[in-house]
Amino acid sequence: MSNSHMTMTLAHAVREGRRFWGSEDGVALWQAQRACLGPLCESRFGSHSLQLGMASRLTDMCPIRHAMSWAPTRALAQDDATLVCDPSALPLADESLDLVLVHHLLEVMPDAHHLVREAARVTRDDGLLVMMGWNPFGADALGHLSPANRRRWPCKGHWRRSGRLREWLAFVDFEIDRVDYCGFRLPGGHIHNLGLETLGRRYNLPFGGCYLIVARRKKIPVQPLRTSLRRDSMAGNWLGPAALHRDHGGRSRHATHAHDDRMAEVD
């Protein structure tokens, strides 16, 4: 897909998406998502954050100083802190953001895995990558399966289960820290059901209309193997050659030689 075609496709999706998020149902769902995201954002500090999506900024309660939004064209930019670009090729340095929120954009991206790769690339080692999407097992999935409803927002696009995103994140060395659900309602019901929302959030039932995935960069465990070997060698030199052949704790001479051979292989 050419860049111009990509821009036109995304611009159309953004206009449709903003109409939905400005509707009564969209505002109610946005508020439910904000309540779900709030505890996570309120504890995040740093210099830069980015929200990739169509809705109003959800990270405004975050104490991160410089919060950016995204738009596919300059005409759709809503403020001066808007990044206008192809979201699968972000003009940002590696590991430059403390928080990246991908908000219902994966469903409409032609190459969604490229967006995941870019979002991971610009997230700091100690930063958070958060993704919100439509839950294919929620009440809204019935509308998504209907051919008539698939032509309207938010039922357009490709809804992905959290397990698929876990696989994509693994390829970019990220792992899911937690998955939360929100936007609970009965099929055909309203999102304004605060009792159902409270119950679903309390037990984190996997039937909410949306999921919230929190991912972090994988930590590579440090094993100070060579340091311990060096200490063993120093101990052997200090105690003398005879100590290397001493049977500690009933260990046989054969086992001692095998241990020494493994040490030599590591070195």
Side-chain angles (χ1 to χ4, degrees):
M1 178 179 293
S2 66
N3 288 339
S4 59
H5 190 193
M6 168 79 79
T7 301
M8 291 175 60
T9 300
L10 288 177
H12 178 69
V14 167
R15 284 190 289 266
E16 280 195 310
R18 288 181 180 175
R19 279 195 292 270
F20 168 75
W21 292 110
S23 67
E24 184 179 359
D25 280 348
V27 170
L29 181 58
W30 184 89
Q31 291 173 344
Q33 291 180 340
R34 179 182 168 86
C36 188
L37 184 64
L40 179 69
C41 279
E42 289 171 355
S43 61
R44 297 301 301 177
F45 293 86
S47 300
H48 306 286
S49 68
L50 173 64
Q51 177 172 322
L52 296 161
M54 300 95 161
S56 300
R57 192 173 295 154
L58 281 161
T59 58
D60 56 348
M61 78 286 280
C62 191
I64 292 177
R65 294 188 295 274
H66 182 212
M68 295 181 289
S69 299
W70 164 85
T73 64
R74 191 171 298 278
L76 290 171
Q78 295 182 313
D79 54 46
D80 293 337
T82 301
L83 196 64
V84 179
C85 65
D86 176 356
S88 61
L90 298 173
L92 298 171
D94 294 353
E95 302 178 19
S96 56
L97 302 179
D98 299 281
L99 173 67
V100 178
L101 171 61
V102 180
H103 185 262
H104 294 285
L105 191 58
L106 292 175
E107 291 91 345
V108 298
M109 279 290 295
D111 296 308
H113 59 284
H114 291 169
L115 174 57
V116 174
R117 179 199 62 198
E118 278 295 277
R121 179 185 66 81
V122 300
T123 303
R124 291 169 53 94
D125 278 347
D126 57 348
L128 290 183
L129 172 55
V130 181
M131 294 184 291
M132 281 186 167
W134 304 112
N135 181 15
F137 304 109
D140 292 322
L142 297 177
H144 178 250
L145 295 175
S146 169
N149 285 341
R150 286 180 66 91
R151 291 193 293 271
R152 68 174 180 83
W153 182 268
C155 292
K156 287 188 174 182
H158 188 181
W159 293 17
R160 294 176 176 84
R161 54 187 177 83
S162 59
R164 169 59 66 184
L165 297 182
R166 184 184 299 273
E167 295 170 359
W168 286 4
L169 287 165
F171 276 106
V172 292
D173 294 327
F174 269 69
E175 57 188 355
I176 293 179
D177 187 44
R178 60 183 296 165
V179 181
D180 293 329
Y181 297 90
C182 62
F184 292 90
R185 65 171 173 173
L186 298 174
H190 294 289
I191 303 176
H192 304 75
N193 193 330
L194 296 180
L196 191 60
E197 184 72 19
T198 301
L199 181 66
R201 289 272 313 281
R202 176 181 300 168
Y203 297 102
N204 200 26
L205 301 176
F207 309 118
C210 308
Y211 55 72
L212 182 153
I213 292 176
V214 181
R216 302 174 187 268
R217 194 178 302 276
K218 291 181 180 178
K219 301 294 185 182
I220 300 176
V222 178
Q223 299 179 354
L225 182 60
R226 292 189 177 276
T227 302
S228 61
L229 292 178
R230 219 174 278 121
R231 290 174 179 171
D232 291 343
S233 300
M234 291 173 64
N237 292 336
W238 176 259
L239 294 174
L244 296 177
H245 300 285
R246 187 176 300 168
D247 185 4
H248 293 288
R251 187 173 62 187
S252 67
R253 180 180 294 271
H254 175 75
T256 302
H257 287 317
H259 177 68
D260 292 341
D261 291 340
R262 287 196 297 270
M263 290 175 62
E265 289 175 3
V266 172
D267 287 340

